[in-house]
Amino acid sequence: MTEENLIHDKAESIRDVIRYLRRFKNALVIIYIDDKLLDSPLFTNHIKDICRIHEAGLKVIVVPGANKRINEILEKSGIEWSFHKDYRITKPEAMPLIKMAAFDVSNQIMTALAGEKTNAVIGNWVRARGKGIIDGFDYGTTGEIDKLQVDAIENILANGFVPIFPCIGWSLAGKPYNISSIQLAEQIAVHLKADKLFYLIPGASISAESFKVPDGIGTSPEGNIPAMNLEEVDEFLKANKIPTNKQSVNSNSETAEHSVVSSVPENVSREKIFLLLQLAKEACNSGVTRVHILNGSLDGTIPCEIFSDLGSGTMIYYNNYGGIRAMTRDDIPGVLNVMKPFISAGILLPRTRAGLLEEFQHYIVYELDGAIRACASLIPYDDGQMEIAGVAVNKTFSHVGIGPKLVKYLVKQAVKLNAKSVFLLTTQTADWFENLGFYADDISTLPEARKAKWTSSRGSKVLRYDLNSVSRETE
């Protein structure tokens, strides 16, 4: 790689960070931290990262899990418990110990934040009610969230503190209940209309190695799914034979890891991943902008997820993340930036600002969080044919399926515009287009205006798409 390219890549990374800093200034982030991470060598780094994003102007709420610590304290005290539909069932005398465990974990979080000079406060902002008796079964000390003291929480945030929520809620009469930290984090995000909800759990990875990934859902070079919209989440759950309604996936107040699948790293059960996806769907449908499932075994996963387009985990979103739209004049610098390496490699013909000003109405772009990451064009000719040209995808996003989406979109546009035929010319990417359904054709079939621009020195191949098949698919 040349020095120019190295500097360019560094500059793009810095620009991304600045763009996200501006975008998420004063944004509210809810972070669930699995208590297994407290004993991890990465715990201190995760805390440092949380403090840095807080210092950068984001508002942060921390919800620590306490399953591991509750187990330890109950075992040490000789108190038995059981699980019913993955809910921890205990007698009332266990509740003081559960409360002790929950606050012990919260205190560890607060102490670690204080070590980084970040002010935090632990509070009892959760009103709860007992889960009660369902189908004849008494859930005892297990509770559900009834109400949050939203005004109090917002005041604490406004004063620059980080609120910490233990997994305990209190009834109006002051009776404590053990509630789900994972569900508590989701409910806090919903009630406060959070911009982001993070689930930081060791080994929580959604990848092609561990799960079946449906066609059309892109993966990173490492095989992870960087993002899914709600429709894609349903497709993913169906592909992995999991019903898409949350009632089919149960989890206790602090989930028991009973059913562990060896293909999922570090003993994260498939059921827990599916529960997180269901909660993510519910949160997004209730107004939370984005939910992120992060592998807490990876150093730096939090800032990478916030300040880069592909992030480090899996993001679930409702809308306003990325998509195809018509190009505008303001997009020209971004489009030229995307095209630059392909022009240098001889894959694309040179483009100029002046040329794009004349042709921008034929282009579409793929925008991710305000940055142009891909482009393509559909150019009409007098004889009714149309040409797909200028297809370029930023190399960082080359594995997540953006290119095929652009091409398929333009093919459908050609059908809508009653094109006689659609073609493209390529020198180095014929195999890629053939995988999308294009087939080789002869130079003689090109429109006269396009044929006049073809040169034997470049020797571009002609590929064509059967528009009749698209008509049948879309009827």
Side-chain angles (χ1 to χ4, degrees):
M1 182 178 288
T2 66
E3 182 179 3
E4 179 184 1
N5 289 334
L6 283 171
I7 295 297
H8 175 268
D9 288 349
K10 288 180 181 179
E12 283 299 290
S13 297
I14 294 169
R15 288 167 185 153
D16 283 345
V17 172
I18 294 172
R19 177 164 52 85
Y20 278 108
L21 279 171
R22 293 174 61 186
R23 181 180 181 88
F24 293 120
K25 184 75 171 177
N26 295 317
L28 176 60
V29 181
I30 315 300
I31 302 177
Y32 166 85
I33 302 180
D34 193 291
D35 67 332
K36 294 187 185 74
L37 289 171
L38 269 62
D39 298 324
S40 164
L42 295 179
F43 174 66
T44 299
N45 286 351
H46 288 317
I47 291 295
K48 287 179 182 289
D49 288 338
I50 291 171
C51 293
R52 297 298 87 82
I53 66 173
H54 182 254
E55 291 169 3
L58 285 77
K59 298 176 181 177
V60 177
I61 291 176
V62 176
V63 183
N67 184 57
K68 180 173 177 290
R69 186 63 177 140
I70 291 172
N71 288 346
E72 291 171 352
I73 288 181
L74 293 182
E75 287 175 0
K76 186 176 181 180
S77 302
I79 294 180
E80 297 182 353
W81 72 93
S82 62
F83 286 95
H84 180 73
K85 294 186 176 180
D86 283 345
Y87 286 92
R88 186 192 298 274
I89 308 300
T90 64
K91 294 181 179 180
E93 55 264 32
M95 199 59 218
L97 296 177
I98 293 175
K99 188 166 60 173
M100 180 194 305
F103 277 86
D104 180 41
V105 170
S106 294
N107 275 308
Q108 286 184 259
I109 298 290
M110 186 171 68
T111 300
L113 292 171
E116 296 298 320
K117 298 180 173 57
T118 296
N119 295 321
V121 59
I122 302 169
N124 58 343
W125 306 292
V126 182
R127 183 192 298 172
R129 61 178 180 272
K131 191 170 179 65
I133 300 172
I134 301 176
D135 296 329
F137 186 87
D138 188 350
Y139 282 83
T141 58
T142 299
E144 294 181 340
I145 301 158
D146 187 25
K147 185 178 180 181
L148 296 179
Q149 297 180 29
V150 174
D151 291 344
I153 300 165
E154 289 179 341
N155 286 335
I156 291 166
L157 290 168
N159 287 316
F161 285 80
V162 174
I164 301 173
F165 282 73
C167 61
I168 302 295
W170 285 263
S171 70
L172 283 172
K175 183 178 181 180
Y177 287 100
N178 180 20
I179 60 177
S180 166
S181 294
I182 288 178
Q183 294 180 12
L184 175 59
E186 184 255 348
Q187 283 297 300
I188 294 170
V190 169
H191 279 76
L192 297 179
K193 302 298 180 186
D195 299 278
K196 289 181 176 291
L197 166 59
F198 285 177
Y199 285 112
L200 185 65
I201 301 171
S205 175
I206 305 178
S207 68
E209 180 181 357
S210 304
F211 299 95
K212 181 178 180 181
V213 180
D215 293 338
I217 298 179
T219 57
S220 69
E222 297 77 24
N224 297 321
I225 299 176
M228 290 187 284
N229 60 35
L230 299 189
E231 291 181 359
E232 290 171 333
V233 170
D234 282 342
E235 292 173 9
F236 176 87
L237 293 173
K238 289 177 182 177
N240 288 277
K241 303 187 184 304
I242 299 297
T244 56
N245 58 308
K246 197 176 78 169
Q247 287 74 17
S248 63
V249 183
N250 295 307
S251 176
N252 75 300
S253 57
E254 293 298 328
T255 306
E257 303 283 346
H258 288 314
S259 178
V260 176
V261 178
S262 60
S263 63
V264 182
E266 297 191 36
N267 295 333
V268 174
S269 69
R270 289 171 67 91
E271 285 75 15
K272 190 163 188 175
I273 293 293
F274 298 141
L275 171 66
L276 293 173
L277 289 174
Q278 300 285 12
L279 288 173
K281 281 178 52 184
E282 182 177 291
C284 289
N285 278 321
S286 300
V288 178
T289 308
R290 300 170 186 183
V291 180
H292 306 255
I293 299 171
L294 304 183
N295 184 352
S297 302
L298 300 178
D299 190 13
T301 186
I302 295 174
C304 284
E305 186 70 12
I306 294 178
F307 299 123
S308 64
D309 285 324
L310 285 185
S312 57
T314 298
M315 180 179 75
I316 312 304
Y317 64 98
Y318 185 78
N319 55 24
N320 196 31
Y321 167 61
I324 298 170
R325 63 168 175 80
M327 179 179 168
T328 68
R329 291 181 177 88
D330 293 338
D331 297 325
I332 289 177
V335 168
L336 288 172
N337 193 43
V338 170
M339 287 182 168
K340 182 179 179 180
F342 298 94
I343 292 172
S344 298
I347 296 172
L348 290 182
L349 290 170
R351 263 78 169 181
T352 64
R353 179 178 178 83
L356 288 178
L357 274 171
E358 294 179 358
E359 298 182 348
F360 76 90
Q361 68 272 18
H362 299 313
Y363 275 79
I364 57 172
V365 295
Y366 198 97
E367 182 181 32
L368 282 175
D369 273 340
I372 304 302
R373 296 307 187 188
C375 61
S377 64
L378 184 64
I379 302 172
Y381 289 90
D382 291 341
D383 66 351
Q385 296 194 60
M386 289 188 169
E387 177 185 8
I388 292 176
V391 180
V393 180
N394 182 291
K395 65 178 181 180
T396 304
F397 305 90
S398 60
H399 295 275
V400 298
I402 293 175
K405 287 180 181 178
L406 289 176
V407 173
K408 291 176 182 178
Y409 180 89
L410 290 180
V411 167
K412 290 181 179 180
Q413 284 297 106
V415 172
K416 290 180 181 179
L417 295 171
N418 297 316
K420 177 182 176 182
S421 181
V422 66
F423 68 92
L424 58 85
L425 286 95
T426 181
T427 57
Q428 301 177 40
T429 56
D431 288 342
W432 187 83
F433 283 108
E434 286 173 355
N435 286 335
L436 297 179
F438 287 80
Y439 61 90
D441 206 351
D442 193 82
I443 299 297
S444 62
T445 63
L446 294 177
E448 292 300 322
R450 188 63 183 89
K451 195 186 305 181
K453 296 179 182 179
W454 186 89
T455 62
S456 58
S457 59
R458 184 168 173 81
S460 301
K461 294 181 179 179
V462 178
L463 298 180
R464 200 170 289 277
Y465 199 94
D466 182 8
L467 295 183
N468 290 327
S469 64
V470 180
S471 298
R472 287 193 295 271
E473 291 170 3
T474 56
E475 285 176 355

